Amino acid sequence: MTTTSAQAVPRAVAVARLEEQWREQRSLRSWFATVDHKRIGRRYLVTAGAFFGLAGIDALLLRTQLARAGGDVLSPDQYNQLFTMHGTAMIFLFATPMLFGFGNALVPLMLGARDMAFPRLNAFGYWVFLFAGLIMFSSQFLGVAPNGGWFAYVPLTDLPYSLGRNLDVYTLGLIFLGVSTTAGAINFIVTSIKLRAPGMSLNRAPLFVWAIVATSFMVLFALPALNAANALLFLDRRFGTHFFQPDAGGNTLLWQHLFWIFGHPDVYIIVLPALGIVSAILPAFCRRGVAAYPLVVLATITIAIISFGVWVHHMFATGLPSLSLSFFSAASVLITIPSGIQVFAWVATMLFGRIVVRVPLLFVVGFIVTFVMGGVTGVMFGITAFDMQITDSYFVVAHFHYVLFGGAVFPIIGGLYYWLPVLTGKMASEVLGRWAFGLVFGGFHLTFFPMHLSGLLGMPRRVYTYPTGLGWDPWNLLSTIGSYVLAVGLLLVVLSVVLAVARGPRAAVDPWGGDTLEWAATTPPRPYNFASIPQVFGLHPAWDRRTLSRLETDEVLPGHQALLTSELDARPQRLVSMPEASLRPLLAALALLVVVLGLLWAVYWLAIAGVVATIVVVVGWLWPPQLTRAEAEAA
Amino acid sequence: MAAVLVALCLAGCAGSAPSTLDTAGTGARRVEGLWWFMFWISVVAVLEVLLLLGWALWRRRRDTRVRAGDAMPFVGVLGVGLPFIVLVAVYGVGLRDLNALIRPPAGPELSIEVIGHRWWWEVRYPDTAGAITANEIRIPVNQTIRIRLTTADVQHSFWVPQLMPKTDLIAGRVNETWLHAERIGTFRGVCAEYCGLQHANMSLIVTVQPEEEFTAWLRDLAAPPARDLTEQQRRGQAVFEAAACGACHTVRGTTATGTIGPDLTTIGSRWSLGAGAAPNDKGHLGGWIVNPQSLKPGNQMPPQPVPASDLPDLLSYLETLR
Amino acid sequence: MLSALATVAAAVVAACSTPPTPPAEVPGGDPARGAQLIAELGCGSCHSVPGVRDAHGLVGPPLDHFGRRAYIAGELTNNGANLQRWIRDPQSVEPGTAMPNLGVSEIDARDIAAYLLTLE
Amino acid sequence: MTTIRSTARGRRLGPAFSWFGVVGGAVAWSVHLIAAWAVDELTCGAGRATVAGVPLVAVMWVAVIVPALVTAAALAVSALVWRRESAAARQRADRGYGRTGMLGLVGLGANALFLSIIVAGGAAVLVLPVCQP
Amino acid sequence: MTGKLFTESTAPEALAAEPAPRSTGWWGMVGFVTTEAALFAVLLGTFFYLRFQHGEPWPPREIERPQLTVPLIMTAVLLPSSLPVVWAERGIRRGQRWRLRLGLAATIVMGLTFLSLQVMEYQTKLREFTFTTDVFGSLFYAITGFHGLHVAVGLLILSWVLAASLRGSFSSHKHERVSLAAIYWHFVDLVWVAILFTVYLSQHL
């Protein structure tokens, strides 16, 4: 497997040499050029967290406007921009990138690999995400933010009903962002297929990895629908095509189909990795592996597939034939089965294990409660007759916040507390964390539970104001109060993380006793993750004496090398060398940014210049190294 | 549990809300039944999980044994078997109710065309020539009314929560729904699909009347009876006709035949101005005419700077249009 | 976010603060009821009136600091009795004014005047 | 139970069987959904009740029954895989789930789920009119 | 016979057989091509959705059914262009760099011919209708244009491989990038068949 000469070197010397080879200079260039998946993962988390803050402030303003009937904190146009940006940013700029951040930081560690399969592509993906986010948020400060709702239904978003640049920011921004998401997804898939530690056959892959891989496959199939829809809308708006204009033979329902073919899988693209986080956290605090592992894998896979067959339940009121709706209704109702499997697997894990209550577990428990409540209302929306009555009311707002905040944000915060030692080497304060949990959990339910009621009372969503005397006032006031409590709780989360990084105690090695490989590395891990590539013998390698002892004694894999293994059973295949840090990913992302800005401002020579620059950078990036003389002679 | 109590109190506390749980229409009543069926199932499901979680947290912190055995039977029964039975039942009931929603109780006795505009509702009674109104629908009680839904611009959604689940108004399509009110009363409806700047102010009122009252109203709507006008009201009519009002609005029996804005033949008896933006009284109407943009920013009506001395006359004329 | 917090705080304070005391010029007037009447009658669709919801009309003059105004409509000196007269029948004070006669009762006019005169 | 010996040809075809057992139902359901939905929406939208002369309701039944049969076949294959594997696992030392065994179980569950979804869609064909009146 | 085959194929060791492992680059390119294929599937689905929602007459208004001569010639040029790539790839596996260069050059010439034919096709079509004429025009130019863009990118990639090989890259051991470029070209090639069917042939059914 490795060269014989390596065995002659004592282990300590080999490790020291490895340290030298992987050390990153503390320079500005190195900061921009790094391809270390842990640093990139942290950047994803911080950037997505910042976008979460901005979109959260949007939400607070919206709730302030709605605190009383006839509120006049915001103008109608401001309100419409804010709710559109809130939704768009939370879905596209917070949830997915945040979870990709966890994936970036953790997947290679959990697999026992040294980095992602394509480290430079990974860096490129981050930069593109950052630039797309900056474009979209800067539009808000310039007052030209998208204002068509996050699903941007035509004809409202098409000419002649939406002039101005607002919707161009939306279409171009999301296509640009899609580049990043697609790159990330391919990277996760290849990493998980090819870089698993020897012995980690499919039946031993961590559930979080299953979730990330399932998500990535969903991205590959779902995102093209969004990109195509946005491209067609951009062409309609900018170049006068007629895809969505009925007068010239187009069709407005086409947008809804295309958007939701992406949109509903996207809900699970957000929720699945979060469920994976839950499955990763539980073993450490229940002192046993997640119950019914094969069933949870089954659930992950089937959710990923069925989620592509439920999109029309967003269109139950469009007047399509009710028979064609029912095929989607059937899938929407029965997709609950795999979700139920996961919930009861977690409950079983807790029932059959020994529980240690720490902050991450609190957030998991809060997640299960909230997610189950969002799940039961989800079943209701799968029923066509009920959906036709309640959709587009505040009940729907309540439902999807239970699913998305409950299903994604609770696990994300739990994961943040759980993996803070891996990410930063520090421990967060338990006391502050418990306060944060209490405020977030209480504030969340105070904000969103009343929305079920205002929805049942007939309050439509996306209204900037409402009249008094319809029974909606008290529930809206409660929601607004709750949103401020929730905001305080979230600020406490941020505070506890900042405090931990600034002056928290250094984390012990494997402080929680987790079962996956990231806890078998040092805390925090070295740039090369593992000096020797781990051997896996079971589902819980970090609890496995065989794996741990061999990590100490196996020979060190020298240099910037990684071990490829076979796809299904993870048999060792061959060594490959990993790329070094490079500025090219950043340059490529900048060139693409020029293309997007050129299109946005309708300065087409700029866009063309950007395309040329992109080609130049990418050609340089991928230029194959010239053969060495020995290789040339061999050839 | 608190959740349950709050929800139970809903029907009582709702007051004059357009509540889906205080229904008066055949379609909405069926969905109300469906809701309570699913609601109780949901309560049981949530309680089950809460109890198991509570038990785990309370019991398993003390018990130090870790049961290694795999929990397949537990997950299989509680996570697959039970939910499957419940979900199939819910799906079946839902299918039954959907079937009821697409088959109105009796053959349609009246047709109404509803056309969505940014941001108001045009209502036409095609069987009675000239019967056009805006932002209000009157229907006779205990009859099935067929509603034809189209839009003049962007997508809207027609929702009268107490009468019938919503149906979208989609550009390039004609959608249909029906109303069947089981009691007399007024019921608030809204546009439920986001349609731009003033989506919040796009409401309508459905007034359910005894059949004779409705027939009389419809007759008067189509051919308004001659009105005796006072001196001031006649002056107001002259102002109305002299100003550009007729370019956008219609008042049947006068020279005003515009079709861009709502038909004003019965403006005096409407429930609101600007599809719910303001109450319909002299004070609001005066402000609305001169500067509609402050009451409903962004609506399509431009400010009408009528001469100051004419405004009171105009208002007194408009009040007579009932 | 701070501004948002401040707004909520202001809203809460406004909702809980004690009603203004009636000005001496309108004996027996109820300013709180007057404010409500101003909202119901739609005065706000023409005038901006501080403290009245949705009252930011730009058709007629703004009514802030009304208690310190010298004249009503440039015709009458501003006092309780004149104000009530104006509110009940503006046409009789200034023929040709755009302000319509809204048919305000005597008691209602007293309360409205009471509120307007509290706007210092 | 005696061990079944395999041949080189068997080893070439085996993975195909195995994967049909895992994803057969998913593929069949996707075809069912796309076909049934698109044919129904587009035919009704055009105001017709037949597709190339065949009544729409008959097309719907084909779009339900054929995928259901394929899914049932995949279910049978995954059941067989699962049985063979658990028999083999009993003879192994660790008795855990092998990779094939886990995939067999996943196929078993997935196919059962997809079959139920297709059957539930079939129930709708039984109850509802193909186009709205 | 089939019974025996069935028994052989479902023996545990047969079921557990693992195919030969692939490289990370191969999986990456396959992933990329998959998502691209999904994108084309969405576009072609859009075509059929709009076509059937529109109803007769199709193409709407004054646009005539597209002539088939030029597109069939284009197909005859593009489809076989995958063969030289296969030949070139097999050549470099044996270390024959001349076969790589010759094969790539042949494919590039065929691809360029295809693009020139497309330009000609556009010149005739633009006289008849543009992308703003109606929805058929929009679909026609969007779909064929998007595919043309892919052909151009494919040509760029092949030229890049050719340039690298002229500079002395690639050998019998190191030729992964050749294989990856080949995958992309085959994809661009195959998608054309679907487009030909959708945009041209299906109009005559």
Side-chain angles (χ1 to χ4, degrees):
Chain A
M1 206 173 81
T2 37
T3 52
T4 42
S5 63
Q7 278 175 331
V9 192
R11 187 178 167 86
V13 177
V15 171
R17 200 176 288 163
L18 205 57
E19 285 282 345
E20 188 56 40
Q21 285 161 333
W22 284 79
R23 174 178 302 148
E24 294 205 316
Q25 301 294 320
R26 284 189 157 270
S27 69
L28 203 60
R29 184 186 182 283
S30 141
W31 196 88
F32 282 113
T34 186
V35 294
D36 181 349
H37 72 96
K38 297 176 289 296
R39 288 179 83 175
I40 293 171
R42 278 199 299 268
R43 284 175 192 181
Y44 263 109
L45 296 179
V46 171
T47 314
F51 291 153
F52 178 67
L54 288 173
I57 292 172
D58 288 353
L60 278 185
L61 288 170
L62 299 175
R63 276 313 329 162
T64 309
Q65 161 82 359
L66 293 178
R68 297 186 309 154
D72 51 8
V73 178
L74 301 169
S75 75
D77 187 47
Q78 282 172 332
Y79 185 91
N80 294 344
Q81 289 193 21
L82 283 181
F83 85 69
T84 302
M85 272 310 284
H86 169 71
T88 310
M90 284 297 188
I91 296 277
F92 294 103
L93 299 175
F94 159 65
T96 311
M98 193 79 179
L99 293 159
F100 270 36
F102 278 107
N104 258 306
L106 295 164
V107 163
L109 283 164
M110 283 187 174
L111 297 178
R114 283 190 163 168
D115 203 327
M116 300 284 281
F118 308 114
R120 290 184 178 178
L121 187 66
N122 205 21
F124 170 72
Y126 169 74
W127 293 118
V128 169
F129 155 60
L130 176 68
F131 295 150
L134 289 179
I135 287 184
M136 296 192 75
F137 265 111
S138 57
S139 78
Q140 193 174 351
F141 295 105
L142 298 173
V144 287
N147 54 4
W150 83 275
F151 39 81
Y153 274 7
V154 296
L156 180 63
T157 51
D158 203 345
L159 298 181
Y161 304 108
S162 169
L163 308 165
R165 291 268 183 265
N166 309 49
L167 262 297
D168 296 330
V169 171
Y170 177 91
T171 54
L172 291 172
L174 290 188
I175 292 175
F176 189 32
L177 184 66
V179 173
S180 158
T181 317
T182 305
I186 292 176
N187 217 341
F188 283 130
I189 290 174
V190 180
T191 307
S192 310
I193 286 182
K194 293 305 299 178
L195 290 177
R196 300 199 304 276
M200 192 185 278
S201 49
L202 285 191
N203 51 320
R204 292 174 186 160
L207 289 169
F208 179 72
V209 173
W210 272 108
I212 287 277
V213 171
T215 301
S216 301
F217 272 107
M218 291 168 73
V219 166
L220 292 194
F221 288 103
L223 210 52
L226 177 74
N227 289 338
N230 274 322
L232 299 184
L233 180 57
F234 180 75
L235 290 175
D236 261 18
R237 293 170 52 80
R238 188 61 69 76
F239 298 111
T241 56
H242 303 292
F243 297 105
F244 303 116
Q245 295 162 355
D247 299 343
N251 196 292
T252 58
L253 281 184
L254 172 67
W255 171 271
Q256 299 192 20
H257 278 304
L258 290 180
F259 188 89
W260 291 118
I261 285 175
F262 156 79
H264 205 87
D266 191 55
V267 173
Y268 289 95
I269 284 173
I270 291 167
V271 169
L272 267 187
L275 304 188
I277 291 180
V278 173
S279 295
I281 293 178
L282 268 179
F285 302 96
C286 297
R287 297 284 176 253
R288 59 156 291 155
V290 170
Y293 170 88
L295 289 185
V296 179
V297 173
L298 163 73
T300 308
I301 295 174
T302 47
I303 285 178
I305 296 170
I306 300 175
S307 71
F308 279 89
V310 299
W311 83 84
V312 173
H313 75 216
H314 296 272
M315 301 168 64
F316 278 172
T318 49
L320 296 179
S322 33
L323 177 59
S324 70
L325 302 182
S326 292
F327 300 119
F328 295 89
S329 173
S332 307
V333 171
L334 287 173
I335 199 173
T336 316
I337 299 272
S339 306
I341 289 178
Q342 303 215 42
V343 168
F344 283 95
W346 297 318
V347 171
T349 312
M350 294 176 69
L351 275 173
F352 289 24
R354 180 162 60 83
I355 289 179
V356 183
V357 178
R358 290 284 180 277
V359 176
L361 186 76
L362 287 179
F363 277 97
V364 166
V365 172
F367 149 79
I368 294 180
V369 173
T370 314
F371 188 64
V372 167
M373 291 171 74
V376 293
T377 53
V379 175
M380 296 178 184
F381 280 114
I383 302 296
T384 314
F386 179 80
D387 179 282
M388 287 172 69
Q389 173 74 314
I390 299 297
T391 187
D392 279 322
S393 78
Y394 255 86
F395 195 96
V396 126
V397 181
H399 158 71
F400 67 68
H401 280 94
Y402 268 76
V403 172
L404 290 177
F405 198 108
V409 179
F410 276 96
I412 283 172
I413 301 176
L416 205 59
Y417 280 103
Y418 179 60
W419 282 305
L420 202 62
V422 175
L423 296 168
T424 66
K426 300 293 186 67
M427 291 293 277
S429 151
E430 183 77 13
V431 179
L432 216 50
R434 285 181 184 224
W435 272 98
F437 169 73
L439 285 169
V440 169
F441 187 77
F444 171 83
H445 285 274
L446 188 57
T447 309
F448 294 105
F449 194 84
M451 292 186 186
H452 290 113
L453 309 177
S454 44
L456 286 172
L457 292 176
M459 180 166 171
R461 69 193 282 203
R462 298 178 160 181
V463 289
Y464 77 89
T465 186
Y466 56 93
T468 186
L470 297 181
W472 303 343
D473 309 43
W475 309 120
N476 276 288
L477 185 61
L478 275 183
S479 281
T480 303
I481 294 170
S483 66
Y484 281 87
V485 177
L486 178 56
V488 173
L490 291 169
L491 277 180
L492 271 193
V493 173
V494 174
L495 184 71
S496 65
V497 170
V498 169
L499 278 183
V501 173
R503 53 172 76 166
R506 182 154 281 285
V509 172
D510 189 9
W512 314 106
D515 69 330
T516 34
L517 277 173
E518 77 272 26
W519 303 110
T522 50
T523 307
R526 306 303 306 155
Y528 48 82
N529 292 353
F530 302 93
S532 336
I533 298 302
Q535 287 283 332
V536 174
F537 303 94
L539 248 178
H540 312 291
W543 290 347
D544 194 328
R545 233 173 264 284
R546 290 167 291 181
T547 301
L548 294 180
S549 64
R550 290 190 63 167
L551 264 179
E552 298 300 319
T553 53
D554 270 3
E555 58 191 81
V556 171
L557 177 63
H560 270 262
Q561 292 196 101
L563 175 66
L564 295 191
T565 52
S566 69
E567 289 84 356
L568 300 177
D569 287 332
R571 297 198 181 92
Q573 182 186 348
R574 64 188 161 94
L575 290 173
V576 290
S577 59
M578 306 291 281
E580 314 269 337
S582 163
L583 280 176
R584 290 218 166 87
L586 174 60
L587 291 178
L590 278 172
L592 270 189
L593 175 67
V594 172
V595 179
V596 173
L597 289 178
L599 288 175
L600 183 60
W601 294 328
V603 186
Y604 298 113
W605 62 263
L606 190 65
I608 292 169
V611 171
V612 173
T614 312
I615 292 172
V616 169
V617 175
V618 172
V619 163
W621 178 352
L622 296 177
W623 193 252
Q626 202 147 13
L627 295 185
T628 58
R629 178 165 298 172
E631 282 169 332
E633 276 162 14
Chain B
M1 273 330 274
V4 182
L5 291 175
V6 172
L8 278 178
C9 132
L10 260 182
C13 315
S16 56
S19 169
T20 59
L21 308 182
D22 175 24
T23 54
T26 308
R29 189 166 48 80
R30 195 163 258 283
V31 178
E32 187 183 351
L34 178 63
W35 151 258
W36 286 115
F37 171 68
M38 295 194 295
F39 172 74
W40 288 114
I41 288 178
S42 303
V43 169
V44 173
V46 171
L47 282 183
E48 179 200 1
V49 174
L50 284 182
L51 284 177
L52 287 172
L53 267 182
W55 169 255
L57 284 173
W58 185 76
R59 180 84 184 81
R60 301 302 301 171
R61 287 165 73 180
R62 287 154 186 81
D63 193 345
T64 51
R65 282 171 307 139
V66 172
R67 281 178 233 174
D70 75 355
M72 297 284 257
F74 178 91
V75 179
V77 173
L78 288 182
V80 182
L82 273 182
F84 184 78
I85 295 166
V86 172
L87 289 172
V88 166
V90 170
Y91 176 76
V93 173
L95 213 52
R96 186 200 67 184
D97 288 341
L98 177 61
N99 198 29
L101 281 188
I102 59 175
R103 296 177 206 266
E109 290 152 46
L110 180 70
S111 282
I112 300 178
E113 278 180 26
V114 174
I115 303 159
H117 294 261
R118 284 179 309 159
W119 293 273
W120 57 282
W121 304 89
E122 181 180 346
V123 178
R124 294 167 168 261
Y125 292 79
D127 304 334
T128 312
I132 301 170
T133 180
N135 304 326
E136 65 168 352
I137 297 177
R138 297 203 187 193
I139 56 170
V141 71
N142 279 326
Q143 286 190 29
T144 299
I145 288 92
R146 178 80 61 188
I147 311 270
R148 231 175 91 96
L149 299 165
T150 54
T151 172
D153 39 59
V154 303
Q155 181 168 340
H156 305 280
S157 190
F158 177 77
W159 188 32
V160 188
Q162 287 164 283
L163 296 181
M164 188 69 194
K166 61 183 73 64
T167 305
D168 295 344
L169 289 65
I170 295 172
R173 277 181 74 94
V174 179
N175 273 344
E176 283 200 350
T177 184
W178 51 273
L179 298 177
H180 188 103
E182 294 167 345
R183 64 175 150 92
I184 288 165
T186 56
F187 305 99
R188 201 169 185 279
V190 289
C191 171
E193 186 64 72
Y194 175 63
C195 54
L197 200 64
Q198 282 296 342
H199 165 57
N201 286 315
M202 186 168 167
S203 313
L204 72 147
I205 284 285
V206 178
T207 306
V208 182
Q209 297 176 308
E211 191 168 359
E212 316 80 65
E213 252 179 66
F214 168 76
T215 318
W217 172 82
L218 187 61
R219 194 184 52 230
D220 287 354
L221 179 68
R227 303 174 179 96
D228 289 328
L229 298 182
T230 66
E231 178 63 25
Q232 191 190 22
Q233 288 161 349
R234 259 200 301 281
R235 278 204 309 274
Q237 183 173 16
V239 171
F240 186 85
E241 284 169 4
C245 308
C248 294
H249 296 285
T250 295
V251 176
R252 270 185 301 289
T254 74
T255 55
T257 53
T259 53
I260 293 170
D263 183 293
L264 297 184
T265 309
T266 55
I267 176 70
S269 62
R270 301 260 168 86
W271 66 285
S272 82
L273 298 172
N280 183 15
D281 53 43
K282 218 182 205 178
H284 285 99
L285 187 55
W288 174 275
I289 291 169
V290 180
N291 186 5
Q293 300 300 321
S294 81
L295 280 174
K296 187 173 176 180
N299 85 79
Q300 313 280 320
M301 178 164 161
Q304 303 297 323
V306 288
S309 54
D310 290 348
L311 188 62
D313 301 344
L314 182 58
L315 293 177
S316 69
Y317 166 65
L318 290 176
E319 272 194 326
T320 67
L321 300 177
R322 295 182 159 271
Chain C
M1 217 198 74
L2 275 178
S3 72
L5 269 173
T7 319
V8 160
V12 170
V13 169
C16 306
S17 59
T18 49
T21 46
E25 293 160 77
V26 193
D30 178 355
R33 186 165 170 274
Q36 204 185 331
L37 284 166
I38 291 173
E40 284 169 9
L41 288 168
C43 308
S45 62
C46 291
H47 302 280
S48 69
V49 191
V52 177
R53 184 179 297 176
D54 282 339
H56 20 242
L58 297 173
V59 175
L63 303 187
D64 42 351
H65 309 300
F66 195 84
R68 286 195 263 157
R69 294 274 166 90
Y71 295 105
I72 301 166
E75 298 273 340
L76 301 172
T77 50
N78 187 3
N79 61 41
N82 280 341
L83 183 54
Q84 289 176 56
R85 187 176 146 214
W86 168 256
I87 292 168
R88 295 200 61 196
D89 193 0
Q91 308 286 333
S92 75
V93 176
E94 188 193 340
T97 178
M99 179 155 153
N101 181 341
L102 297 182
V104 182
S105 74
E106 196 177 328
I107 295 178
D108 290 356
R110 190 181 65 199
D111 292 344
I112 293 169
Y115 179 75
L116 291 178
L117 290 172
T118 58
L119 299 173
E120 286 293 333
Chain D
M1 186 174 170
T2 53
T3 342
I4 304 161
R5 290 254 135 245
S6 184
T7 57
R9 187 177 58 174
R11 273 192 293 277
R12 271 202 311 279
L13 278 174
F17 267 101
S18 188
W19 285 110
F20 175 67
V22 179
V23 298
V27 173
W29 167 75
S30 314
V31 172
H32 147 76
L33 185 80
I34 298 289
W37 153 68
V39 171
D40 193 35
E41 179 180 332
L42 295 174
T43 311
C44 295
R48 289 196 309 254
T50 57
V51 181
V54 183
L56 185 54
V57 68
V59 179
M60 289 295 118
W61 279 120
V62 172
V64 169
I65 291 170
V66 173
L69 291 178
V70 174
T71 310
L75 185 65
V77 167
S78 54
L80 183 85
V81 170
W82 168 242
R83 245 187 43 209
R84 293 266 159 89
E85 265 307 302
S86 23
R90 271 195 291 279
Q91 295 172 349
R92 277 203 305 268
D94 58 356
R95 305 184 130 248
Y97 300 102
R99 188 251 302 167
T100 335
M102 191 192 76
L103 287 182
L105 187 62
V106 166
L108 209 57
N111 290 323
L113 189 55
F114 287 119
L115 190 57
S116 341
I117 298 178
I118 297 174
V119 169
V125 183
L126 213 55
V127 175
L128 299 170
V130 280
C131 293
Q132 230 102 338
Chain E
M1 183 62 211
T2 42
K4 184 162 168 280
L5 182 65
F6 185 76
T7 320
E8 284 171 9
S9 317
T10 52
E13 57 195 285
L15 293 173
E18 197 179 359
R22 303 284 187 167
S23 68
T24 49
W26 188 87
W27 282 104
M29 183 50 92
V30 166
F32 178 66
V33 163
T34 305
T35 190
E36 286 264 73
L39 189 55
F40 275 103
V42 166
L43 285 177
L44 299 183
T46 296
F47 186 97
F48 283 113
Y49 187 83
L50 288 175
R51 187 240 172 289
F52 287 114
Q53 282 285 25
H54 184 272
E56 297 303 325
W58 180 266
R61 291 189 225 164
E62 66 266 35
I63 298 179
E64 304 223 338
R65 288 180 180 185
Q67 295 287 312
L68 294 184
T69 326
V70 181
L72 285 178
I73 297 174
M74 288 161 74
T75 314
V77 172
L78 190 65
L79 262 192
S81 72
S82 270
L83 297 175
V85 178
V86 174
W87 183 71
E89 197 192 339
R90 291 206 176 146
I92 192 65
R93 253 184 235 162
R94 293 189 207 153
Q96 296 162 313
R97 209 177 282 155
W98 64 271
R99 267 175 70 173
L100 174 66
R101 290 169 186 167
L102 198 63
L104 287 177
T107 302
I108 290 169
V109 169
M110 291 165 97
L112 284 175
T113 316
F114 174 85
L115 281 186
S116 328
L117 285 168
Q118 191 163 30
V119 169
M120 278 171 53
E121 166 82 345
Y122 274 13
Q123 277 173 343
T124 27
K125 283 278 183 285
L126 278 172
R127 260 177 257 130
E128 196 192 338
F129 61 91
T130 69
F131 56 81
T132 58
T133 307
D134 63 24
V135 72
F136 180 82
S138 306
L139 282 166
F140 177 85
Y141 289 106
I143 292 177
T144 55
F146 191 59
H147 177 261
L149 201 69
H150 276 72
V151 175
V153 171
L155 286 175
L156 211 64
I157 295 175
L158 292 181
S159 322
W160 172 83
V161 173
L162 182 61
S165 82
L166 290 174
R167 214 196 61 170
S169 296
F170 308 124
S171 66
S172 57
H173 302 294
K174 290 202 167 184
H175 55 265
E176 198 189 358
R177 283 156 212 246
V178 181
S179 318
L180 302 187
I183 293 176
Y184 188 80
W185 188 258
H186 298 327
F187 162 71
V188 167
D189 208 351
L190 281 179
V191 163
W192 172 252
V193 179
I195 291 174
L196 177 79
F197 173 77
T198 307
V199 177
Y200 292 99
L201 297 184
S202 80
Q203 312 309 309
H204 292 265
L205 288 180

